[in-house]
C-alpha cells in the first residue's frame, strides 16, 4: 500500500467548520473527509457530495415486504388452510384483504427497516470487529476535523486553513485503502 500526505484541520465550532468547507471548496481544494461528533446540516451539500439513493432502496425493500405479505397470506389463509373466522368465508384473497391490511403494513415496515440497516452497514463498510477509521478521538466528543490531501501545496493549505479558523493543523501520512 502506498501512503499519501494529508493535512488534518481541527475546528471547535460547526459554523466555523461550515464556512471553512465552503472556502476550501471555493479555492478548488479536494476535501477527502470531514469527521464530526454529530450531523451538521448542509455539510454534504457544502462538500459537493451527491444526494443519497438510500430512499430508493428503502422503497424497493418495502415493496418486497408487501409482496411477501400478500403471497404469504394468500397461501396460508386462502389456499393451504382456509378457515371460516367470525363468519367470514375464505373464498378469495380480495374478499378478506381488509383483515390482512395490518399484516401487510407490518411486513412492509419490517422489511424496509431491517434491510435498510443491513444496507447501511454494508454500504458504510461497517461490520463487526472492524477497526475504527476515526483519525482523532476528539471528533467523537466536541471537535471537527477536515482532511485534505496535500499535493505539493502544503504551505498554501496551512495558511488557508489558519485563515478559516482552524485551531490545530496536523500533517499525517495516510495509508491508501
Amino acid at each position: 500500500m502506498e501512503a499519501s500526505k494529508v493535512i488534518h484541520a481541527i475546528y471547535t465550532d460547526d459554523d466555523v467548520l461550515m464556512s471553512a468547507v465552503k472556502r476550501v471548496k471555493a479555492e478548488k481544494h479536494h476535501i477527502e473527509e470531514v469527521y464530526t461528533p454529530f450531523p451538521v446540516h448542509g455539510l454534504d451539500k457544502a462538500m459537493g457530495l451527491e444526494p443519497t439513493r438510500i430512499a430508493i432502496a428503502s422503497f424497493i425493500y418495502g415493496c418486497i415486504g408487501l409482496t411477501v405479505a400478500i403471497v404469504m397470506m394468500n397461501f396460508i389463509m386462502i389456499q393451504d388452510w382456509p378457515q371460516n373466522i367470525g363468519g367470514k368465508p375464505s373464498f378469495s384473497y380480495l374478499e378478506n384483504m381488509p383483515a390482512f391490511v395490518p399484516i401487510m403494513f407490518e411486513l412492509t415496515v419490517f422489511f424496509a427497516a431491517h434491510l435498510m440497516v443491513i444496507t447501511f452497514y454494508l454500504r458504510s463498510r461497517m461490520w463487526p470487529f472492524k477497526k475504527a477509521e476515526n483519525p482523532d478521538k476528539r471528533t467523537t466528543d466536541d471537535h471537527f476535523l477536515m482532511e485534505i490531501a496535500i499535493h505539493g501545496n502544503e504551505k498554501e493549505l496551512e495558511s488557508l486553513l489558519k485563515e478559516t479558523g482552524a485551531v490545530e493543523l496536523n500533517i499525517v501520512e495516510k495509508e491508501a485503502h
Side-chain angles (χ1 to χ4, degrees):
M1 284 200 219
E2 167 183 322
S4 60
K5 284 174 85 173
V6 294
I7 189 164
H8 289 168
I10 297 180
Y11 298 87
T12 54
D13 183 68
D14 57 329
D15 293 327
V16 175
L17 170 77
M18 194 65 152
S19 62
V21 167
K22 290 175 183 174
R23 175 96 185 272
V24 169
K25 290 301 281 185
E27 299 281 334
K28 305 285 190 235
H29 295 289
H30 176 69
I31 299 171
E32 296 282 326
E33 188 65 78
V34 176
Y35 297 89
T36 65
F38 53 82
V40 177
H41 182 71
L43 183 61
D44 53 341
K45 196 171 277 189
M47 288 179 62
L49 300 177
E50 292 181 21
T52 179
R53 295 183 303 269
I54 208 155
I56 298 167
S58 181
F59 177 76
I60 291 169
Y61 297 152
C63 290
I64 292 169
L66 180 64
T67 303
V68 167
I70 291 169
V71 169
M72 178 187 75
M73 288 181 300
N74 184 54
F75 178 75
I76 293 170
M77 299 300 288
I78 307 300
Q79 295 174 1
D80 186 46
W81 197 269
Q83 300 174 46
N84 185 337
I85 300 170
K88 297 177 186 171
S90 299
F91 296 131
S92 75
Y93 180 81
L94 288 176
E95 288 176 317
N96 293 300
M97 194 175 77
F100 298 151
V101 167
I103 298 166
M104 294 186 314
F105 172 77
E106 290 298 330
L107 280 180
T108 300
V109 172
F110 179 86
F111 271 66
H114 286 79
L115 292 175
M116 280 306 299
V117 168
I118 293 168
T119 300
F120 172 76
Y121 282 129
L122 291 175
R123 182 71 181 95
S124 301
R125 294 185 179 105
M126 291 171 44
W127 34 78
F129 312 111
K130 182 179 187 259
K131 185 179 179 295
E133 295 178 7
N134 195 336
D136 192 320
K137 288 183 180 181
R138 294 175 293 175
T139 60
T140 63
D141 184 25
D142 61 351
H143 284 63
F144 305 84
L145 186 146
M146 184 182 350
E147 182 178 278
I148 305 169
I150 297 174
H151 301 291
N153 55 353
E154 190 174 320
K155 297 294 180 210
E156 175 193 342
L157 270 175
E158 282 181 354
S159 64
L160 172 66
L161 293 170
K162 283 179 184 168
E163 284 175 27
T164 62
V167 295
E168 185 180 324
L169 296 175
N170 301 314
I171 296 169
V172 182
E173 291 286 332
K174 183 177 178 184
E175 291 289 325
H177 298 296

